[in-house]
């Protein structure tokens, strides 16, 4: 499936930065994605959880095989991700989430695909832990929003409701994640609070 | 991490075919990978399980943005996958597996990375369902080998033991998967047998 993934358009939209390694750095010196990945490395080293970022899906259309060198992709296109950015296992449970960073004071639904929302909904219904992480870049705050809230608001937006989730909504209904030295973004502590009544692993 | 992923070398090794869409077709008209993906689509449609193939990891080094067209990747390299090919949720459990096809009458350990074996071991220890699927192309048979067996044999091979797993071993210790019309490769039926004492979902 080769699709017209609007990368340049996304880059020109100032309200949302792709969570790429080389994009904006947080005040702690790590990008949002780096902070998540560093936390996941920490969780794995400490045998707390096994959570990985999925690779960016690419449709490879041309590859060259130079002698004495690695195969080189010379033509390819971005594909729409089938699911979400991160998944794995925590406390024996399947865990799955999407992570987004915004410079705005709201999270616009234009920055998540409908099938990703549906995917999180399915995971939740199958007994998995499913949520959205949103980093408000200007505030250096990251919130965990449990999937059913996201699903409801997204569904409302399709029926004429608000096309974004306001920062105030996150303050009220989502959960602020603590930023520490290590792990940088201790989101599993928040998962303990939201999904395990605060019991620690 | 840009690495020298030996694509051409792998292609020249006749014993193992990469599980790519365009590679060998099974006698039922679908490649091994297509059969797994078709089965996963079926499981999702029937609300039985949510299992997806992870994208092939690629290090993108150059992208061009032609006007009025999709962003085009003009230089990239294959990366070693961090984990396995497939994961998801089934019966509330995290499920994770690697799928390999061989033309040989054994499965050589040269076709799986040590960190992938370690990953399956970790998933098993965290309470997930972890296994290897091996398709013997010449026989049109696919076996499910539970992770602890793979881990033990792999560990033995590192200490001077056999560098491959014989077909006869699969016959004795692994589980043959039924090939049907739909889902083509009903591996979750085998998962029920191996991990749930045969109880159906």
């Amino acid at each position: 499936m080769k699709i017209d993934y609007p990368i340049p358009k996304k880059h020109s939209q100032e309200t949302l930065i792709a969570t790429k390694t080389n994009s904006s750095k947080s005040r702690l010196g790590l990008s949002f994605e780096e902070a998540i990945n560093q936390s996941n490395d920490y969780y794995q080293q400490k045998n707390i959880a096994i959570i990985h970022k999925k690779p960016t899906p690419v449709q490879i259309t041309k590859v060259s095989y130079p002698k004495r060198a690695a195969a080189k992709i010379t033509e390819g296109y971005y594909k729409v991700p089938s699911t979400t950015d991160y998944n794995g296992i925590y406390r024996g449970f399947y865990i799955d989430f999407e992570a987004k960073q915004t410079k705005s004071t709201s999270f616009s639904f234009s920055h998540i695909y409908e099938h990703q929302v549906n995917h999180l909904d399915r995971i939740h219904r199958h007994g998995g832990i499913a949520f959205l992480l949103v980093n408000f870049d200007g505030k250096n705050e990251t919130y965990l929003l449990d999937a059913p809230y996201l699903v409801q608001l997204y569904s409302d937006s399709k029926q004429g409701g608000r096309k974004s989730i306001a920062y105030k909504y996150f303050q009220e209904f989502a959960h602020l994640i603590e930023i520490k030295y290590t792990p940088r973004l201790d989101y599993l502590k928040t998962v303990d609070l939201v999904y395990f009544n605060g019991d620690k692993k």
Side-chain angles (χ1 to χ4, degrees), chain A:
Chain A
M1 181 181 64
K2 175 189 153 188
I3 57 103
D4 292 345
Y5 193 45
I7 289 292
K9 197 177 158 202
K10 271 206 169 176
H11 279 200
S12 70
Q13 289 173 342
E14 283 302 308
T15 48
L16 189 91
I17 313 157
T19 56
K20 290 278 184 290
T21 307
N22 294 323
S23 68
S24 87
K25 304 282 175 184
S26 80
R27 285 168 200 160
L28 284 160
L30 291 179
S31 75
F32 181 45
E33 177 176 327
E34 284 167 345
I36 298 171
N37 293 343
Q38 189 250 43
S39 301
N40 288 342
D41 288 348
Y42 172 88
Y43 293 141
Q44 179 160 321
Q45 280 158 25
K46 297 290 182 186
N47 204 30
I48 294 167
I50 314 294
I51 300 165
H52 287 271
K53 184 174 191 296
K54 291 190 181 182
T56 302
V58 167
Q59 176 72 50
I60 297 160
T61 44
K62 279 184 198 163
V63 181
S64 74
Y65 299 100
K67 283 184 183 172
R68 284 182 288 279
K72 185 174 165 181
I73 295 155
T74 55
E75 191 183 290
Y77 298 89
Y78 291 97
K79 291 198 298 183
V80 168
S82 309
T83 59
T84 47
D85 279 342
Y86 296 88
N87 73 357
I89 186 167
Y90 177 52
R91 299 175 71 150
F93 285 86
Y94 177 81
I95 185 168
D96 192 305
F97 61 98
E98 182 68 15
K100 294 288 183 189
Q101 189 174 46
T102 179
K103 285 198 169 188
S104 170
T105 51
S106 68
F107 171 78
S108 167
F109 288 129
S110 65
H111 300 310
I112 192 161
Y113 291 102
E114 184 166 11
H115 68 267
Q116 292 181 311
V117 176
N118 292 340
H119 173 76
L120 289 171
D121 187 29
R122 273 188 217 106
I123 296 305
H124 169 73
R125 289 171 191 277
H126 276 258
I129 299 166
F131 54 85
L132 173 71
L133 288 188
V134 175
N135 174 260
F136 289 93
D137 191 45
K139 299 177 188 294
N140 200 29
E141 288 178 358
T142 302
Y143 288 88
L144 182 157
L145 184 66
D146 190 17
Y149 292 83
L150 173 67
V151 170
Q152 184 60 54
L153 293 171
Y154 192 87
S155 168
D156 291 349
S157 82
K158 288 279 165 186
Q159 289 157 21
R162 213 190 137 107
K163 306 301 180 201
S164 64
I165 310 176
Y167 172 70
K168 285 203 166 185
Y169 186 91
F170 283 93
Q171 284 185 303
E172 189 165 358
F173 296 103
H175 303 268
L176 183 64
I177 293 168
E178 195 181 343
I179 294 177
K180 306 198 298 196
Y181 183 72
T182 180
R184 190 56 58 100
L185 193 70
D186 196 2
Y187 68 89
L188 289 183
K189 192 177 171 188
T190 311
V191 166
D192 287 340
L193 183 73
V194 178
Y195 301 94
F196 297 94
N197 296 314
D199 291 345
K200 288 181 185 170
K201 196 195 172 185

